Amino acid sequence: MAALEGLIEALRRLPGVGQKSAQRMAYHLLQHDREGASNLARSLAEAVAEVRHCQRCNTFTEDPVCATCLDGARDGALLCVVETQADQAVLERTGSYHGYYFVLMGKLSPLDGVGARDIGLPALIERALDGLVQELVVATGFTAEGEVTAQVIAQALRPHGVKVTRLARGVPVGSELEYVDLGTIAHAYADRR
Amino acid sequence: MAALEGLIEALRRLPGVGQKSAQRMAYHLLQHDREGASNLARSLAEAVAEVRHCQRCNTFTEDPVCATCLDGARDGALLCVVETQADQAVLERTGSYHGYYFVLMGKLSPLDGVGARDIGLPALIERALDGLVQELVVATGFTAEGEVTAQVIAQALRPHGVKVTRLARGVPVGSELEYVDLGTIAHAYADRR
């Protein structure tokens, strides 16, 4: 059963998939959805061959430069740093930001061996110092790793005279104060306006 | 981004994988494990091409007849019906069963549109009436679907004079009675010996 074992082993490499899930996936594909299995095989090969990083913002794209970076109507003085494309999509949906992006594709996580080079910090610094960028909006997450990443970026760019800002921390819209955690309340107080 | 979208769509067809998990898997493969992605593509294509059903027991195999069915040292008078290969593996590990198997690759589930033909019941009946089988041990699960499947199998084969038995229900080894559900206790009382 080399082929079935090999498939289960390959599925286990997916994040969040253990032995039992991998078995269930393999049985499902072979028993009920061989077309889905062939389709997944083709999609994987195609994505590996086609998907690369945007030369300007580091996001996934099939072209040398992604559509967002090619959008001439954006404000070149603003550069927003996000961890992932999903974070970028959320910011876009707010309709409140009209500059360009840099997608780290991760965040600093020394415990997991993820260093500055793995998340494209050198490329970000080069991009931020292109002479056009006046403000770098750091929109990494408000987790421990996201905060460290934001600090490292700020430390690297402030000496070069780039204004580095961070999304505001505060009480989420629609929240009762009673149910908001104390750290958030404390930050909302400190950043009151 | 057709290639990335296509990959996410293909991953969503895996059981238990929604939009967020599929995105996470696609990003992980493209960012951190392109070798794993290529490996998975190859394994899928190979499994779809190579894995078929055993002509005797219906399990997944790469040969016309699986190794278990070719094992001449087993007792041809005993045939055990299981839902999946995983169930078969558990029975094998007990070391208490030495006959052959028939793997349904599922269980009857009319609500999900899974009927007798989908789980190979006709092939099971043909196999059980080969003249050698004297006892059919039904080891489907003790769930609603597993019980119905067991009943349908028994009804189909008892008229042909095949002895049909079922694994015993009872208190699991190592259990305190206090923590065992009432249905199990009631069955254990009814099947007392």
Side-chain angles (χ1 to χ4, degrees):
Chain A
M1 287 309 303
L4 181 58
E5 295 301 325
L7 175 56
I8 292 170
E9 205 51 50
L11 285 164
R12 280 195 59 180
R13 282 173 73 161
L14 293 170
V17 175
Q19 179 68 21
K20 293 252 172 192
S21 305
Q23 278 180 3
R24 200 157 51 95
M25 287 173 174
Y27 292 164
H28 173 84
L29 289 173
L30 291 172
Q31 182 74 4
H32 301 295
D33 195 10
R34 287 192 177 224
E35 192 202 319
S38 300
N39 184 28
L40 179 54
R42 271 195 310 275
S43 300
L44 282 161
E46 193 184 320
V48 167
E50 303 287 337
V51 176
R52 65 189 88 178
H53 292 277
C54 171
Q55 287 169 7
R56 284 180 66 76
C57 78
N58 195 44
T59 195
F60 284 138
T61 175
E62 289 168 53
D63 306 304
V65 176
C66 76
T68 308
C69 286
L70 288 175
D71 175 4
R74 290 176 181 262
D75 183 351
L78 287 172
L79 185 65
C80 178
V81 182
V82 289
E83 291 176 10
T84 65
Q85 281 185 312
D87 295 344
Q88 178 183 355
V90 169
L91 262 164
E92 282 290 291
R93 282 209 298 278
T94 68
S96 57
Y97 179 74
H98 304 289
Y100 292 96
Y101 290 91
F102 190 92
V103 186
L104 294 172
M105 298 302 237
K107 51 197 163 187
L108 286 176
S109 183
L111 289 179
D112 302 323
V114 181
R117 217 155 268 280
D118 299 305
I119 61 168
L121 273 189
L124 165 62
I125 289 166
E126 192 182 325
R127 173 85 174 76
L129 298 178
D130 66 356
L132 291 170
V133 174
Q134 286 165 32
E135 179 179 346
L136 188 77
V137 184
V138 182
T140 56
F142 290 88
T143 59
E145 287 109 340
E147 294 280 16
V148 169
T149 307
Q151 279 168 25
V152 169
I153 292 169
Q155 277 164 15
L157 284 169
R158 284 214 172 99
H160 296 283
V162 179
K163 182 178 168 193
V164 180
T165 58
R166 182 96 169 92
L167 289 192
R169 284 169 294 202
V171 180
V173 174
S175 299
E176 300 268 23
L177 282 191
E178 187 182 355
Y179 301 112
V180 175
D181 71 288
L182 296 183
T184 299
I185 300 277
H187 280 299
Y189 176 73
D191 295 351
R192 68 192 180 278
R193 36 173 285 175
Chain B
M1 287 312 301
L4 182 58
E5 295 300 326
L7 175 56
I8 292 170
E9 206 51 53
L11 286 165
R12 280 194 60 179
R13 281 173 75 163
L14 293 171
V17 176
Q19 180 68 21
K20 292 253 172 192
S21 305
Q23 278 179 4
R24 201 158 49 96
M25 287 173 175
Y27 291 163
H28 172 83
L29 289 173
L30 291 172
Q31 183 73 6
H32 300 294
D33 195 10
R34 288 192 177 221
E35 191 202 319
S38 301
N39 184 27
L40 179 54
R42 271 196 311 275
S43 299
L44 283 161
E46 193 184 320
V48 167
E50 303 288 337
V51 175
R52 65 189 88 179
H53 291 278
C54 171
Q55 288 169 6
R56 285 179 65 75
C57 79
N58 195 45
T59 196
F60 284 136
T61 175
E62 288 168 54
D63 306 304
V65 175
C66 76
T68 308
C69 287
L70 289 175
D71 175 3
R74 288 175 182 264
D75 183 353
L78 286 171
L79 185 65
C80 178
V81 181
V82 289
E83 291 176 8
T84 65
Q85 283 185 310
D87 296 344
Q88 178 183 355
V90 169
L91 262 164
E92 283 289 291
R93 281 210 299 277
T94 67
S96 57
Y97 179 75
H98 303 289
Y100 291 97
Y101 291 91
F102 189 91
V103 185
L104 294 170
M105 300 302 241
K107 50 198 163 186
L108 287 176
S109 184
L111 289 180
D112 302 322
V114 180
R117 217 155 269 280
D118 299 305
I119 62 168
L121 272 190
L124 165 62
I125 289 165
E126 192 183 324
R127 172 85 172 78
L129 299 178
D130 66 356
L132 291 170
V133 174
Q134 286 165 30
E135 180 178 345
L136 189 76
V137 183
V138 181
T140 56
F142 289 88
T143 59
E145 288 107 341
E147 294 279 18
V148 169
T149 307
Q151 280 168 24
V152 168
I153 291 169
Q155 278 163 14
L157 285 170
R158 284 216 172 97
H160 296 283
V162 178
K163 182 178 167 193
V164 180
T165 58
R166 183 96 169 93
L167 289 193
R169 284 170 295 205
V171 180
V173 175
S175 297
E176 301 267 24
L177 282 191
E178 187 181 355
Y179 301 111
V180 175
D181 71 288
L182 295 183
T184 299
I185 299 280
H187 280 299
Y189 175 73
D191 296 350
R192 68 190 179 279
R193 36 173 284 176

